[in-house]
């Protein structure tokens, strides 16, 4: 019955034959993709493979690229970037509420900041926050809009390893609480495996692998059951696992 309900439920994101390019260079070559409501998806691929191009196309942020195909996405979409993109001349709460409308926006903003562990920092300036705290504020800014779809473009790439692990836990907890669909762009295979329930590999404009991670949460990087998933993803990326040993620096 659950499978039948899932089949009858319209996807949060539906892409059919999406082609995108810059001039004569084709970056996305006839992409097809359905993301069900509430699914957490990670997107892997080499630099220049089109990951950010796909994310920006879904977010309707890039109007200079050319292409064709069909793309459907929810009305309420939020985007988190690698840079928190907080306005330095606005206090944290004002940054979170930028463009927010509706009932009691200030109360909603304070609640969102409390969810990400920034209660009491509403009147701080962005420069007074650490890198991790700035990304927490960026997550709060996304959550206050109650998105049906959260697009995250390497949101933890600029953070140190320990802060990234903490942010992974926070993002997963927030997803479990709010249940938006999530598309996370990342270069980190382990980050994808630990966070997502489905991992896509983009290569030469097409998906070369669509992998379901059928393990319960929370997951640990040390879990030996992740090794098989890691091997499949590294193979799809053309990387031999022994060529890049895990260290504290790249632990994600």
């Amino acid at each position: 019955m659950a499978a039948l309900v899932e089949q009858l439920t319209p996807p949060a994101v539906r892409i059919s034959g999406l082609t995108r390019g810059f001039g004569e260079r084709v970056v996305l070559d006839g992409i097809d993709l359905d993301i069900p409501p509430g699914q957490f998806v990670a997107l892997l691929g080499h630099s220049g493979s089109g990951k950010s191009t796909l994310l920006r196309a879904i977010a309707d942020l890039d109007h200079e690229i050319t292409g064709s195909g069909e793309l459907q996405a929810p009305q309420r979409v939020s985007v988190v970037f690698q840079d928190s993109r907080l306005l330095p001349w606005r206090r944290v709460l004002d940054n979170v509420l930028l463009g927010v409308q509706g009932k009691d926006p200030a109360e909603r903003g304070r609640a969102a900041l409390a969810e990400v562990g920034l209660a009491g920092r509403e009147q701080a300036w962005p420069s007074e926050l650490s890198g991790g705290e700035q990304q927490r504020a960026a997550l709060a800014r996304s959550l206050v809009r109650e998105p049906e779809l959260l697009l995250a473009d390497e949101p933890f790439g600029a953070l140190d390893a320990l802060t990234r692990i903490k942010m992974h836990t926070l993002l997963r907890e927030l997803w479990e609480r709010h249940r938006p669909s999530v598309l996370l762009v990342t270069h980190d295979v382990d980050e994808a495996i630990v966070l997502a329930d489905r991992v896509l590999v983009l290569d030469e404009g097409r998906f070369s692998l669509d992998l379901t991670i059928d393990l319960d949460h929370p997951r640990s990087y040390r879990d030996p059951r992740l090794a098989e998933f890691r091997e499949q993803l590294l193979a799809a990326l053309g990387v031999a696992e022994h060529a890049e040993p895990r260290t504290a620096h790249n632990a994600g």
Side-chain angles (χ1 to χ4, degrees):
M1 179 63 71
L4 177 60
V5 171
E6 184 173 338
Q7 291 177 9
L8 295 176
T9 303
V13 175
R14 168 156 285 171
I15 299 173
S16 178
L18 182 66
T19 299
R20 287 289 186 269
F22 297 86
E24 296 182 356
R25 177 174 174 247
V26 176
V27 179
L28 303 176
D29 187 10
I31 290 287
D32 295 320
L33 175 64
D34 282 358
I35 299 179
Q39 188 175 65
F40 197 128
V41 181
L43 180 61
L44 290 168
H46 294 287
S47 296
S49 62
K51 302 185 303 297
S52 294
T53 299
L54 177 59
L55 184 142
R56 292 174 67 84
I58 295 173
D60 195 26
L61 290 177
D62 197 337
H63 303 288
E64 296 182 1
I65 55 178
T66 60
S68 60
E70 297 181 1
L71 193 158
Q72 301 175 18
Q75 286 189 330
R76 300 196 308 275
V77 179
S78 289
V79 185
V80 181
F81 298 96
Q82 182 173 344
D83 184 336
S84 66
R85 303 200 177 188
L86 300 178
L87 300 177
W89 57 86
R90 288 180 178 265
R91 297 185 186 272
V92 170
L93 181 60
D94 292 332
N95 266 286
V96 169
L97 295 177
L98 190 65
V100 173
Q101 300 177 348
K103 184 179 180 181
D104 299 324
E107 181 178 342
R108 289 160 52 198
R110 285 190 288 269
L113 284 168
E115 274 199 285
V116 300
L118 290 179
R121 305 304 303 277
E122 294 87 353
Q123 296 306 310
W125 296 104
S127 61
E128 297 174 332
L129 303 182
S130 67
E133 288 174 331
Q134 290 180 17
Q135 284 302 87
R136 287 173 181 264
L139 279 175
R141 182 177 56 199
S142 296
L143 290 173
V144 79
R145 288 158 173 77
E146 299 177 352
E148 299 167 273
L149 173 64
L150 177 63
L151 302 171
D153 194 358
E154 298 190 64
F156 313 128
L159 303 179
D160 65 82
L162 295 179
T163 302
R164 289 179 72 183
I165 291 174
K166 294 177 182 178
M167 291 299 294
H168 292 166
T169 301
L170 174 62
L171 177 59
R172 186 72 198 191
E173 289 175 349
L174 293 171
W175 173 81
E176 290 177 349
R177 195 175 303 148
H178 295 275
R179 290 288 173 165
S181 300
V182 175
L183 180 60
L184 169 70
V185 170
T186 178
H187 279 100
D188 190 321
V189 169
D190 288 328
E191 179 173 272
I193 296 172
V194 167
L195 285 176
D197 300 308
R198 178 186 179 193
V199 183
L200 304 170
V201 176
L202 189 60
D203 183 38
E204 296 185 355
R206 293 179 177 269
F207 295 123
S208 62
L209 183 64
D210 186 341
L211 182 64
T212 298
I213 310 295
D214 51 355
L215 295 176
D216 293 335
H217 289 274
R219 299 171 188 162
S220 168
Y221 290 105
R222 295 182 294 275
D223 190 334
R225 295 175 299 173
L226 300 184
E228 181 180 346
F229 297 110
R230 184 182 299 114
E231 184 177 345
Q232 292 182 65
L233 291 168
L234 288 173
L237 291 164
V239 178
E241 187 168 13
H242 64 270
E244 189 176 350
R246 253 183 103 66
T247 66
H249 177 72
N250 65 18

